[in-house]
Amino acid sequence: MGRPPCCDKFEVKKGPWTPEEDIILVSYIQEHGPGNWKAIPTNSGLSRCSKSCRLRWTNYLRPGIKRGSFTDQEENLIIHLQALLGNRWAAIASYLPERTDNDIKNYWNTHMKKKLRRMENEALQEGTGFSNYQPIAKGQWERRLQTDINMAKQALQEALSMEKPRFLYESKPSCSSHSSSTPPSSTTYASSTENISRLLENWTRKTPKNSSKSIQHSVNDLVNVGTDSTSSDGTITSVPNNNMVSPETGLFQVDSKPSLEERFPLSLIETWLFDENCGGGNTVLDLSLDDASHELF
DNA sequence: AAAATCAGCAACCGCCAACGG
DNA sequence: TCCGTTGGCGGTTGCTGATTT
């Protein structure tokens, strides 16, 4: 007998979220803050399970999420991090503040795998220097083990020094901060009335097609009022606005993931991660993890 | 123009770990 | 210490739009 599913109630709705549900969820979270997911369906009136609410929020509605295609820099970073960490998407996502783990995972499973496979095939056909490329999965468990060792070392060091965690393997603030028993004070969350009315206004204006995407933009408008910039391909990029409810300032502070460079000076390993010139796979394997871990301490 | 196939991505599922009573 | 609950994570599925035949 397996464990019963978290949401086996009959009335729990599944499938794609409707704009109405998004509004309810965003409104509720604006008022009460994220966290305590179990209570959200009951208190907000949503016929969704808590898990679904949390996923919808973290993967789609959370402010500061960048949508659209990945930049070359992001792509390189993902390649490097995947080589280093394996398929630990949440850890990788912590280095890409505007991307969700689900986004990165999807991107990897569609674009990157294909790309790497193509590169490998080309190399095999041409017999180029890329031929010593090794599939990422190869030796992955060793890297993972090494990573775990590093994490343990770091935890020990932190425990001894009583310092706050440093840059690497820092858990996503969005979630861990709520594991504590004290939810963010409601005063932390700016008054949402204006934003919600704005959202509804935008929604009714944009609904003709009843497209969930246009609604999504409206929801993004809500959480990033006045901060979106539309790129040439039509995707919306959320830009923090310090005057409004930005991740850096008030409202959704707990969910923000400040840019790495803002938080910490670049170490050797980070320099490596961000170095676009070292893409191509070999460098990943050339870098000794031991060297990297020494650099951490 | 219609059917078949492919690609992208949102959402679900199941496992695991942390936490609290 | 045990056990139930909750949240987080990674793998996978399935829907939808785009492209090809």
Side-chain angles (χ1 to χ4, degrees):
Chain A
M1 287 290 280
R3 187 182 157 181
C6 76
C7 331
D8 50 358
K9 295 175 189 166
F10 296 111
E11 60 269 21
V12 167
K13 191 185 166 192
K14 290 184 180 179
W17 280 65
T18 65
E20 291 86 352
E21 289 175 313
D22 282 344
I23 292 169
I24 292 171
L25 181 59
V26 170
S27 303
Y28 182 88
I29 291 176
Q30 283 227 324
E31 197 175 339
H32 299 93
N36 196 8
W37 298 107
K38 186 71 181 173
I40 288 182
T42 325
N43 297 344
S44 68
L46 282 167
S47 303
R48 295 276 183 174
C49 78
S50 56
K51 220 175 212 185
S52 185
C53 292
R54 184 178 56 80
L55 276 176
R56 183 65 180 170
W57 172 255
T58 54
N59 289 336
Y60 212 83
L61 301 175
R62 181 168 59 87
I65 291 178
K66 182 171 150 191
R67 314 208 70 82
S69 54
F70 283 60
T71 65
D72 289 344
Q73 191 189 10
E74 286 174 321
E75 199 175 293
N76 274 313
L77 188 55
I78 291 168
I79 291 170
H80 292 152
L81 286 166
Q82 206 278 343
L84 180 67
L85 301 169
N87 294 354
R88 303 168 100 177
W89 307 116
I92 293 172
S94 68
Y95 278 85
L96 292 141
E98 294 174 319
R99 303 289 187 180
T100 68
D101 53 353
N102 205 40
D103 253 358
I104 294 168
K105 181 171 59 184
N106 281 334
Y107 190 72
W108 179 266
N109 286 333
T110 55
H111 299 81
M112 301 304 297
K113 267 187 180 173
K114 205 192 313 171
K115 194 171 182 174
L116 290 172
R117 207 178 302 130
R118 195 176 61 233
M119 288 166 76
E120 194 176 5
N121 287 339
E122 282 172 8
L124 285 171
Q125 283 172 3
E126 293 170 15
T128 63
F130 197 67
S131 58
N132 58 350
Y133 163 80
Q134 297 173 38
I136 296 294
K138 198 173 181 180
Q140 208 168 70
W141 69 269
E142 292 100 326
R143 285 190 284 275
R144 184 169 178 148
L145 179 63
Q146 184 65 58
T147 305
D148 289 341
I149 292 167
N150 291 340
M151 289 170 79
K153 278 184 188 173
Q154 193 190 350
L156 178 63
Q157 182 142 34
E158 280 165 15
L160 292 171
S161 65
M162 293 300 286
E163 280 182 3
K164 295 201 80 175
R166 304 303 289 261
F167 68 94
L168 204 55
Y169 312 122
E170 183 178 84
S171 62
K172 278 165 94 171
S174 60
C175 312
S176 56
S177 61
H178 290 302
S179 57
S180 68
S181 57
T182 53
S185 124
S186 60
T187 56
T188 314
Y189 291 78
S191 167
S192 60
T193 316
E194 189 186 330
N195 290 345
I196 292 168
S197 64
R198 196 170 198 154
L199 164 66
L200 293 169
E201 195 183 310
N202 284 340
W203 179 39
T204 51
R205 202 185 306 140
K206 293 178 184 175
T207 348
K209 287 191 290 181
N210 203 17
S211 149
S212 75
K213 280 190 176 169
S214 65
I215 288 300
Q216 185 51 53
H217 293 167
S218 299
V219 173
N220 281 336
D221 287 348
L222 169 63
V223 294
N224 295 301
V225 177
T227 63
D228 288 338
S229 63
T230 307
S231 62
S232 54
D233 63 352
T235 58
I236 289 200
T237 303
S238 296
V239 179
N241 177 341
N242 290 334
N243 295 326
M244 293 301 292
V245 287
S246 75
E248 281 74 19
T249 54
L251 184 52
F252 294 103
Q253 194 169 17
V254 286
D255 268 5
S256 71
K257 289 191 281 186
S259 104
L260 194 65
E261 288 166 85
E262 283 172 16
R263 287 182 291 163
F264 312 103
L266 293 181
S267 67
L268 173 65
I269 191 167
E270 288 169 306
T271 309
W272 166 71
L273 286 170
F274 281 109
D275 183 5
E276 288 182 55
N277 296 324
C278 67
N282 291 342
T283 329
V284 171
L285 299 169
D286 289 344
L287 180 78
S288 154
L289 278 164
D290 267 323
D291 292 344
S293 62
H294 290 151
E295 194 62 30
L296 294 178
F297 297 112

